[in-house]
Amino acid sequence: MKMLHLLTLVLLAYARMASPESGLAHPTSIFILSGQSNMSGRGGVGRVKWDGIVPPECTSSPSILRLGPKLTWEEAEEPLHADIDLNKTLGVGPGMSFAHTVLAQEPSLGPIGLVPCAIGGTNITEWARGGLLYGDMVRRAKAAVNHGGTIRAILWYQGESDTIIKEDALRYKQRLVKFIQDVRSDLKLPTLPFIQVGLATALGPYIDIVRAAQFGVKLPNVKIVDAKGLPLEWDNVHLNTPAEVKLGQMLAHSFLHDF
Ligand SMILES: *[C@@H]1O[C@H](CO)[C@@H](O)[C@H](O)[C@H]1NC(C)=O
Ligand SMILES: *[C@@H]1O[C@H](CO)[C@@H](O)[C@H](O)[C@H]1NC(C)=O
Ligand SMILES: *[C@@H]1O[C@H](CO)[C@@H](O)[C@H](O)[C@H]1NC(C)=O
């Protein structure tokens, strides 16, 4: 009896170490969210602050966790990139609606673990292997599977900042391909699904070149959903909350049906 009790205690201690705080289950399916502000989320951000409105598609759930800045699992809540995309006013992004849609269609994939890594205003050169952003992303991805679970996909919404200078736009495809190959290689997941978001409009004039690059990636297991037609915030710079909800659903649909 005493022995059994001791064993239980040891098991409990181990479970606590390997699992998220407050009795949450450890995630089974893990997704990396990366790129710029539209992935991080600015939906509902006004001139000064976020309106705080969380649509029903983005509510918290014990089945949806996020890897926090200290590499621990916690119940996910909007804004998903809080304390990750620093010094910005954050709002709703696509992550929560993505997770809810995946769970609704494939409950067996839960609990879901989201690993927010997107940083607003970044260009693809800054995401190259060897840089800080890349290093943080890979470190967070590895920490996410430290105690189990499987990385199922990378969701990538980036390229807006590479539409400003023609040289950057022209090099985008080569840099993106290298980025995908490097991440897959460093995570030792050579066929990891990679879902990008096709830019609708952009910050600079060379959007067509970057879009062509995005749609022209010929690597296996790279898919794309198109942001064209999604509504923007008052600032004309970011997707609004309904657009982010829709985008999350599009990403989920791609993940569930394109691979
Ligand atoms: C955010 O702001 C703090 C305080 O002003 C500063 O020390 C830090 O470097 C900033 N971080 C980023 C990523 O801009
Ligand atoms: C991309 O980022 C790098 C590093 O911060 C910077 O040197 C370069 O000017 C940036 N390019 C654009 C178009 O912002
Ligand atoms: C956000 O996405 C929209 C739609 O693709 C695009 O028009 C806009 O330039 C993006 N904003 C930023 C800051 O990247």
Side-chain angles (χ1 to χ4, degrees):
M1 190 63 197
K2 249 203 176 120
M3 202 53 198
L4 192 63
H5 187 62
L6 189 68
L7 186 68
T8 310
L9 280 181
V10 168
L11 282 176
L12 274 176
Y14 178 75
R16 197 160 300 141
M17 211 170 72
S19 293
E21 269 101 276
S22 58
L24 292 165
H26 193 280
T28 307
S29 305
I30 292 164
F31 297 90
I32 314 298
L33 281 64
S34 199
Q36 311 193 205
S37 53
N38 281 314
M39 176 58 80
S40 170
R42 302 291 187 268
V45 170
R47 272 169 222 283
V48 192
K49 56 187 185 118
W50 178 43
D51 62 14
I53 296 171
V54 176
E57 295 90 343
C58 303
T59 50
S60 293
S61 146
S63 306
I64 306 175
L65 313 187
R66 79 148 192 169
L67 194 75
K70 300 213 168 106
L71 306 180
T72 53
W73 290 109
E74 55 203 28
E75 192 169 304
E77 62 173 5
E78 296 287 5
L80 192 62
H81 278 70
D83 301 318
I84 302 287
D85 188 4
L86 296 173
N87 300 348
K88 320 240 174 59
T89 308
L90 307 177
V92 173
M96 294 299 285
S97 92
F98 168 82
H100 276 292
T101 309
V102 169
L103 281 178
Q105 294 195 28
E106 278 300 336
S108 62
L109 289 176
I112 283 182
L114 301 174
V115 183
C117 300
I119 307 288
T122 48
N123 68 39
I124 195 144
T125 308
E126 297 177 87
W127 284 98
R129 186 196 242 163
L132 278 179
L133 299 182
Y134 182 91
D136 272 350
M137 185 183 72
V138 169
R139 185 172 56 91
R140 289 173 58 68
K142 286 181 177 167
V145 287
N146 232 350
H147 297 295
T150 308
I151 301 177
R152 296 301 196 121
I154 297 183
L155 313 181
W156 174 251
Y157 191 172
Q158 196 279 333
E160 295 94 330
S161 289
D162 296 84
T163 62
I164 300 165
I165 297 171
K166 191 168 186 188
E167 183 64 20
D168 281 331
L170 290 171
R171 294 215 175 159
Y172 191 75
K173 186 165 169 189
Q174 171 203 333
R175 288 169 174 165
L176 177 62
V177 165
K178 176 83 167 55
F179 172 79
I180 299 170
Q181 290 170 333
D182 286 345
V183 182
R184 285 175 167 174
S185 151
D186 288 337
L187 296 180
K188 301 189 172 58
L189 298 167
T191 58
L192 179 64
F194 188 94
I195 312 176
Q196 10 162 24
V197 180
L199 305 183
T201 54
L203 306 172
Y206 301 108
I207 175 162
D208 291 339
I209 301 178
V210 172
R211 252 179 87 85
Q214 292 184 309
F215 281 84
V217 173
K218 290 287 184 282
L219 298 174
N221 277 1
V222 176
K223 301 291 175 190
I224 189 160
V225 301
D226 201 346
K228 210 164 215 171
L230 293 178
L232 297 179
E233 273 297 352
W234 61 276
D235 62 3
N236 243 345
V237 171
H238 295 112
L239 297 183
N240 67 16
T241 294
E244 290 285 22
V245 168
K246 181 84 183 33
L247 178 63
Q249 293 164 348
M250 288 160 62
L251 288 163
H253 191 270
S254 171
F255 171 71
L256 292 167
H257 301 288
D258 290 348
F259 296 94

